[in-house]
Amino acid sequence: MSEPTFTKMTDLAAERLGGKALSCSDDFFAEKENLLKPGRGVFIVDKYTDRGKWMDGWESRRKRTPGHDWCIIQLATSGKIHGVDIDTNHFLGNHPPYASLEACNTTGDIDKAEWVEILPKSPLQPGSQNLYEITDRNIYTHLRLNIYPDGGVARLKVYGEVFKDWSTVTADETINLAAATNGAKSILCNDMFFSHMDNLLMPGRGINMGDGWETKRNRTPNNKDWVIVRLAHEGFVDKILIDTAHFKGNYPDSCLLEGTNISLADESKINDASIQWTTILPQTKLQADHEHFFEKEIASKEPFTHVRLYIFPDGGISRMRLFGKIKK
């Protein structure tokens, strides 16, 4: 059974994007911060703490009073939520039977926020990804995960669209057009065997070799791997950063960057031969574990909506930044 299409969207609650677990009713057995970590959580058979079994998730103690447990999450960016994954991986005899979600949009005191239910009380299966579509398309900044009555959840993933108020960005302001926090998204690549293409657009420098986009070794003569990124906004690229942090024996020999300008309606055919691509950065040598900045090498000052990064012949790139100005 294939996963819902919303799971291809940005996880607005991800810790690595900037999501935060602000508060909870109880996290006696396992800390609330685990909810927003990457992956599905791990299980270590003989690992215990002075409070009991170590668990990779958020777990409250057994409730002996009326009510239910809850955790408040600040999303990395404001956004429209399309679906959620309330993952109970490894929580078998201790998962909550039910959960619900509330949301609010606030920049002020969270205690005075008006909460709206976006997922009614719904059943959770143990040790499972519990995937629910969200139909409310309002813009939200925070979520409250309610579990009934108590128990453990490994991960909470909140899939949706980043919302950025572009009316507040001036035509002469420089921004990172390839930042996930601004709404950029990796949409297609030919290979991501070792690590995911979404990592290219994450904040900060990569923390290790797994925190980047890495393809498998390719022995085909003249091979080139590629990834296509939808920019956060149509814009002009003035400065490029290609970072090979942590990639030492497996960095690409060189890279090339192209751009195109198409509508979202045409995005489904972006890899067709009919799409016209313009060279932004000609094929250029790369170094191991290094931040490469390019300005004078940029060959086109046209506005673009999408870019395609080629690497020759294969390997890993940690981050790509495309600094420029939006087209008003």
Side-chain angles (χ1 to χ4, degrees):
M1 182 179 175
S2 61
E3 289 189 341
T5 55
F6 65 69
T7 61
K8 305 298 183 186
M9 304 183 81
T10 300
D11 179 6
L12 301 173
E15 178 186 68
R16 60 204 302 266
L17 195 65
K20 297 176 182 177
L22 297 182
S23 60
C24 68
S25 57
D26 183 277
D27 59 355
F28 182 86
F29 285 118
E31 295 78 10
K32 62 186 181 298
E33 288 80 9
N34 293 333
L35 275 175
L36 310 185
K37 294 188 180 302
R40 296 192 59 202
V42 299
F43 186 81
I44 301 175
V45 175
D46 295 321
K47 186 171 182 178
Y48 288 84
T49 73
D50 61 356
R51 295 193 171 190
K53 180 71 183 73
W54 178 90
M55 294 296 287
D56 188 8
W58 166 50
E59 186 181 4
S60 63
R61 76 191 82 196
R62 301 188 188 208
K63 202 161 198 59
R64 306 307 191 200
T65 57
H68 64 272
D69 287 318
W70 51 265
C71 182
I72 293 177
I73 307 296
Q74 178 180 305
L75 300 180
T77 74
S78 57
K80 299 179 182 180
I81 301 166
H82 286 243
V84 297
D85 178 4
I86 305 172
D87 190 353
T88 55
N89 198 32
H90 302 300
F91 288 92
L92 301 174
N94 51 352
H95 80 289
Y98 298 92
S100 69
L101 280 169
E102 299 168 283
C104 70
N105 187 334
T106 181
T107 56
D109 187 347
I110 194 70
D111 293 328
K112 298 178 181 177
E114 295 185 13
W115 293 91
V116 176
E117 186 177 74
I118 61 170
L119 177 70
K121 189 175 181 179
S122 302
L124 298 182
Q125 297 301 314
S128 302
Q129 290 177 273
N130 297 274
L131 298 158
Y132 287 101
E133 184 176 358
I134 304 298
T135 56
D136 185 326
R137 288 294 181 269
N138 289 306
I139 297 164
Y140 293 114
T141 58
H142 296 73
L143 287 184
R144 181 161 57 200
L145 171 64
N146 301 303
I147 56 173
Y148 303 91
D150 53 38
V153 175
R155 298 290 188 267
L156 173 66
K157 299 192 186 300
V158 182
Y159 296 104
E161 305 169 64
V162 170
F163 172 77
K164 186 174 180 68
D165 185 357
W166 291 103
S167 67
T168 65
V169 179
T170 61
D172 61 352
E173 183 177 344
T174 296
I175 69 160
N176 180 7
L177 298 167
T181 50
N182 286 330
K185 178 69 177 168
S186 297
I187 58 172
L188 195 65
C189 70
N190 73 312
D191 184 284
M192 52 179 175
F193 186 87
F194 288 111
S195 48
H196 203 281
M197 60 183 178
D198 282 349
N199 294 335
L200 279 175
L201 314 182
M202 288 293 130
R205 295 198 77 191
I207 58 173
N208 55 41
M209 202 173 71
D211 187 16
W213 168 55
E214 185 183 2
T215 65
K216 60 179 171 288
R217 298 188 189 212
N218 194 306
R219 275 76 177 200
T220 306
N222 302 314
N223 181 69
K224 56 185 178 183
D225 292 326
W226 52 267
V227 59
I228 295 175
V229 172
R230 180 200 306 133
L231 299 181
H233 193 285
E234 180 183 4
F236 308 89
V237 178
D238 299 323
K239 186 176 182 179
I240 299 167
L241 167 60
I242 303 294
D243 188 357
T244 56
H246 307 291
F247 291 100
K248 297 175 182 178
N250 52 351
Y251 69 97
D253 175 73
S254 58
C255 72
L256 180 151
L257 188 69
E258 298 177 323
T260 191
N261 199 313
I262 61 170
S263 67
L264 274 178
D266 289 331
E267 192 177 81
S268 61
K269 59 182 181 182
I270 195 162
N271 204 34
D272 293 354
S274 61
I275 300 296
Q276 298 296 310
W277 293 90
T278 301
T279 298
I280 302 174
L281 176 70
Q283 188 170 349
T284 305
K285 293 281 284 186
L286 296 176
Q287 302 175 48
D289 193 26
H290 184 73
E291 288 185 294
H292 307 77
F293 288 94
F294 306 105
E295 286 186 79
K296 65 179 185 298
E297 297 90 346
I298 293 175
S300 176
K301 294 295 186 179
E302 297 176 35
F304 297 110
T305 58
H306 297 71
V307 297
R308 179 165 59 191
L309 174 66
Y310 283 108
I311 56 174
F312 303 85
D314 53 36
I317 300 286
S318 178
R319 296 287 189 270
M320 176 176 72
R321 312 276 189 237
L322 302 176
F323 302 102
K325 300 172 180 63
I326 66 171
K327 183 180 179 183
K328 282 288 192 176

